[in-house]
Amino acid sequence: MTLRENNIAKLSEGVFDALIIGGGINGAVSAAALSGKGARAALIDKRDFAGFTSQQSSNLAWGGIKYLESGDYGLVRKLCLSRNHLIDSYPSRVKEIRFFATIDHGFRFSPWFLWLGTWVYWLFGNGYTKPPRLLAKRQIDREEPVVDTARAAGGFEYSDAYLHDNDSRFVFQFVRSAMDRGCIAANYVESLGARRDEDGLWITRARDTETGKLLEIRSRALINAAGPFADDHNQLTSEETAHQHLFSKGIHLIVPQVTEHRHILTFFADDGRLFFVIPMGVRTCIGTTDTRVDSPYTQVTDADRDFVLENINKRLRLAKPLMREDIIAERCGVRPLVVRRRADGAGEGADRDWMQLSRKHEIDVDRANRHLTIYGGKLTDCVNVGDEVSAIVSGFGIALPFAHYRWYGEPHRSVYEEYMHQAKLMDLDDLTSPESSEPLSSRLWRRYDQQALELLAQIREDPRQAEVLIKGTDYLRCEIQLAKRQEMIVKLEDFLRRRSKIALVVPRQTIQHADGLMEACRILFGDQAQARYDEYFGESRAVTPAQSLQSEAATA
């Protein structure tokens, strides 16, 4: 029996302290926090973990410098401190990075005024990062020749943070830590709605979307962490809330590397929004857009592509302009923006300047029914969400035996030192693939932390386990086997897009014909290997994950 099958069987057993609906960042940290503090928690998601909004971010853990302009200083302060805490807690996964900004002549603020703003930003973060710098035009030319300074008035440089791996991998690591502490989690399990029984328990009807099997899950509390679908799920449970979501569509394009420098190029796009050129290994991620939409289901349009490409070509000196055919992969998702609910259903933010709406989170609490809904939020603030949810659940009268347990962060430094000692004794870094951008020891620790010790043991027993299995990627045979046992991979996309970022940095056709891919499929899926391969690469499959989700909605 697989991990997923075993967990689905357990979902109908006994009574959970809390059932969490949704396995994005908010649901994942809720599960990790509650499990770490001793609650009996369960987590389900209709899709894969981080399979919707949480896989479409900019991979940034930033303090929200743009909110200084809107005067939301309290939010900026909170996010800056949360960013610092993430860097401290996840030193191998969340890293400080410099933002290299260029300002055009005629922009609404001068470079020196914005530079002064970065000092305010730096102070809001307690001076945790490297201090800002004011950049003259000649400095930009010298330090980053790819930037076209023909229209530049100058610029500035400041620090924030980014995820070294992809966002969905970061989310899954919270799910994995929750399961390590007793949480019963299962992906591809859809909530069909919930009701309260005469004993005050929540009875949630659910369906395994892979088999169609129906089940009931009993819990003392119900946590709606369904992201952009939170309002829809509240309708299923007849919950009324003071908040609701509005949606903003944002896209990013993954293109060949445009600069070798490890900083984020920052501009203001033609629509006035911050526009980023973000390093992604041997690739570059560019975007984003900000388009108001009415549905969580979105897709990248030609207009979106042209907007991003036009902005990047206008601001960089490239050997040749980036064209649509240069796009390796696309990210497209909605930002769930929380607003107060109005009587007319429009939401209080409907009449505001669209781009001034913030990504703050709100938690709606129904204490009488022991129900809460998480609205909005950012990856940067995830630890705060987990702690807030735990406090609310404790306020429901549900015991948290280890209320002060530190449920997040990488293992103790001694575990890391022991891992690195073993890696050096076996000359692990000598096995690093020539195509890799970092030593093998660092990469395995960042992806698996203490589980990386298990990988070392496998490599010592059988050196073939250190071979790159899928040509053109840096994934080892032992990593695929670990993913099979512990990462609940149901579909090939779960591995290629979310547990790894292969589908983001390797062209689709290259992946399809890569040596070793079918062997990886056999490890992951057994006798279903060919079916899962065909499901992912079938002719009917959409170009982007967002498009496939839109198709799913149309047939639901």
Side-chain angles (χ1 to χ4, degrees):
M1 183 178 287
T2 66
L3 172 62
R4 178 175 177 274
E5 291 169 340
N6 187 54
N7 278 6
I8 288 177
K10 291 179 179 179
L11 284 172
S12 298
E13 298 176 359
V15 178
F16 292 96
D17 291 322
L19 170 64
I20 301 150
I21 310 295
I25 186 62
N26 288 337
V29 295
S30 298
L34 288 170
S35 298
K37 293 173 183 291
R40 186 167 188 256
L43 169 69
I44 61 174
D45 195 295
K46 176 181 178 179
R47 302 172 182 83
D48 188 24
F49 305 118
F52 205 78
T53 294
S54 289
Q55 70 173 351
Q56 310 291 7
S57 79
S58 299
N59 272 25
L60 301 180
W62 63 313
I65 191 171
K66 74 172 187 175
Y67 304 137
L68 288 176
E69 185 177 356
S70 58
D72 205 344
Y73 303 127
L75 177 63
V76 176
R77 167 72 171 168
K78 181 180 180 182
L79 290 177
C80 282
L81 296 180
S82 297
R83 174 206 62 198
N84 299 350
H85 196 46
L86 279 184
I87 296 173
D88 284 338
S89 302
Y90 295 96
S92 72
R93 302 174 195 171
V94 184
K95 296 180 178 293
E96 179 179 346
I97 192 169
R98 299 295 273 176
F99 284 62
F100 196 90
T102 303
I103 304 300
D104 290 343
H105 283 291
F107 187 66
R108 61 183 182 271
F109 299 118
S110 66
W112 69 265
F113 183 82
L114 292 172
W115 171 68
L116 290 176
T118 63
W119 278 98
V120 173
Y121 190 61
W122 184 75
L123 290 171
F124 274 18
N126 291 346
Y128 177 90
T129 61
K130 295 177 183 177
R133 284 198 307 152
L134 182 65
L135 301 173
K137 181 175 177 177
R138 63 181 180 277
Q139 286 177 283
I140 299 173
D141 284 328
R142 182 174 64 251
E143 297 182 23
E144 186 50 277
V146 75
V147 175
D148 187 347
T149 58
R151 299 182 300 163
F156 55 90
E157 187 181 54
Y158 69 100
S159 287
D160 252 316
Y162 83 119
L163 298 180
H164 196 290
D165 263 321
N166 60 334
D167 44 12
S168 47
R169 176 80 201 176
F170 187 69
V171 172
F172 177 76
Q173 286 165 323
F174 283 111
V175 178
R176 181 65 255 176
S177 71
M179 288 192 286
D180 289 341
R181 293 167 174 83
C183 177
I184 305 303
N187 50 358
Y188 296 100
V189 175
E190 176 186 12
S191 169
L192 302 176
R195 59 178 175 82
R196 298 258 290 173
D197 70 5
E198 60 275 7
D199 297 321
L201 295 178
W202 282 102
I203 310 298
T204 301
R205 293 179 60 248
R207 179 174 66 92
D208 178 348
T209 63
E210 288 297 294
T211 65
K213 178 183 177 181
L214 297 175
L215 57 152
E216 287 192 343
I217 308 170
R218 299 164 63 83
S219 63
R220 296 182 176 87
L222 188 64
I223 298 172
N224 180 353
F229 302 100
D231 291 313
D232 293 339
H233 196 271
N234 280 337
Q235 289 184 2
L236 293 176
T237 56
S238 301
E239 281 289 323
E240 296 183 0
T241 59
H243 298 87
Q244 68 181 76
H245 276 141
L246 300 178
F247 304 123
S248 167
K249 183 181 80 168
I251 77 149
H252 297 85
L253 305 180
I254 314 301
V255 298
Q257 189 178 68
V258 300
T259 177
E260 294 181 355
H261 292 115
R262 302 295 297 173
H263 54 207
I264 295 175
L265 302 183
T266 308
F267 309 94
F268 283 91
D270 292 343
D271 64 356
R273 180 181 175 81
L274 279 171
F275 187 86
F276 299 121
V277 178
I278 305 169
M280 186 180 279
V282 296
R283 308 298 183 197
T284 296
C285 176
I286 55 177
T288 178
T289 60
D290 197 343
T291 309
R292 183 171 179 173
V293 293
D294 295 324
S295 169
Y297 296 102
T298 59
Q299 62 181 327
V300 183
T301 66
D302 284 341
D304 293 329
R305 297 182 184 97
D306 291 343
F307 174 85
V308 172
L309 293 173
E310 180 181 345
N311 273 277
I312 196 68
N313 288 328
K314 186 183 296 184
R315 289 165 173 81
L316 298 185
R317 298 188 186 106
L318 301 173
K320 66 182 186 66
L322 287 170
M323 309 296 286
R324 291 183 192 172
E325 54 265 30
D326 296 312
I327 299 171
I328 296 167
E330 299 174 341
R331 300 183 122 178
C332 179
V334 292
R335 306 172 185 91
L337 305 173
V338 55
V339 296
R340 298 284 300 183
R341 186 182 296 278
R342 273 189 347 204
D344 61 5
E348 287 186 0
D351 302 326
R352 288 180 56 189
D353 180 350
W354 183 249
M355 295 185 190
Q356 295 301 315
L357 291 178
S358 77
R359 294 291 304 278
K360 66 180 179 180
H361 74 268
E362 297 282 356
I363 301 180
D364 249 294
V365 182
D366 179 351
R367 297 191 182 279
N369 289 326
R370 288 187 297 205
H371 181 283
L372 63 89
T373 306
I374 308 172
Y375 282 101
K378 291 174 62 69
L379 184 150
T380 312
D381 210 22
C382 63
V383 170
N384 289 332
V385 171
D387 283 336
E388 289 175 34
V389 167
S390 298
I392 293 168
V393 169
S394 177
F396 289 161
I398 295 172
L400 300 181
F402 309 100
H404 302 294
Y405 178 77
R406 191 175 189 272
W407 55 272
Y408 56 89
E410 295 182 20
H412 190 272
R413 182 72 181 180
S414 62
V415 180
Y416 170 75
E417 291 172 351
E418 175 60 25
Y419 162 78
M420 291 302 295
H421 181 61
Q422 290 190 27
K424 289 175 182 176
L425 289 175
M426 58 191 291
D427 296 321
L428 181 69
D429 287 343
D430 291 347
L431 303 176
T432 304
S433 168
E435 294 82 17
S436 180
S437 60
E438 63 179 327
L440 182 56
S441 58
S442 298
R443 178 164 56 77
L444 293 183
W445 175 260
R446 187 183 69 254
R447 288 179 181 169
Y448 308 104
D449 54 57
Q450 60 192 13
Q451 291 180 315
L453 287 162
E454 179 182 337
L455 299 181
L456 296 188
Q458 292 183 38
I459 293 171
R460 282 195 296 267
E461 293 172 8
D462 179 7
R464 290 184 65 251
Q465 296 300 317
E467 296 175 356
V468 172
L469 182 56
I470 306 173
K471 187 176 180 181
T473 75
D474 57 5
Y475 275 80
L476 311 183
R477 180 174 277 104
C478 60
E479 290 183 85
I480 309 297
Q481 293 174 342
L482 179 68
K484 163 67 175 178
R485 296 191 304 274
Q486 300 195 17
E487 299 198 348
M488 212 172 290
I489 294 170
V490 176
K491 301 182 179 183
L492 184 54
E493 183 184 41
D494 300 342
F495 173 70
L496 292 177
R497 177 63 177 81
R498 287 179 285 277
R499 306 300 182 274
S500 77
K501 59 181 179 183
I502 293 172
L504 288 174
V505 298
V506 180
R508 183 180 179 81
Q509 188 173 14
T510 302
I511 299 172
Q512 184 171 7
H513 301 292
D515 292 341
L517 177 62
M518 187 51 68
E519 182 181 349
C521 287
R522 286 193 289 270
I523 293 173
L524 292 171
F525 309 117
D527 58 7
Q528 291 292 309
Q530 188 64 53
R532 291 307 189 187
Y533 176 94
D534 293 342
E535 175 187 52
Y536 184 80
F537 290 109
E539 290 183 359
S540 62
R541 178 171 171 76
V543 174
T544 68
Q547 287 174 315
S548 68
L549 289 170
Q550 186 184 53
S551 175
E552 170 190 320
T555 58

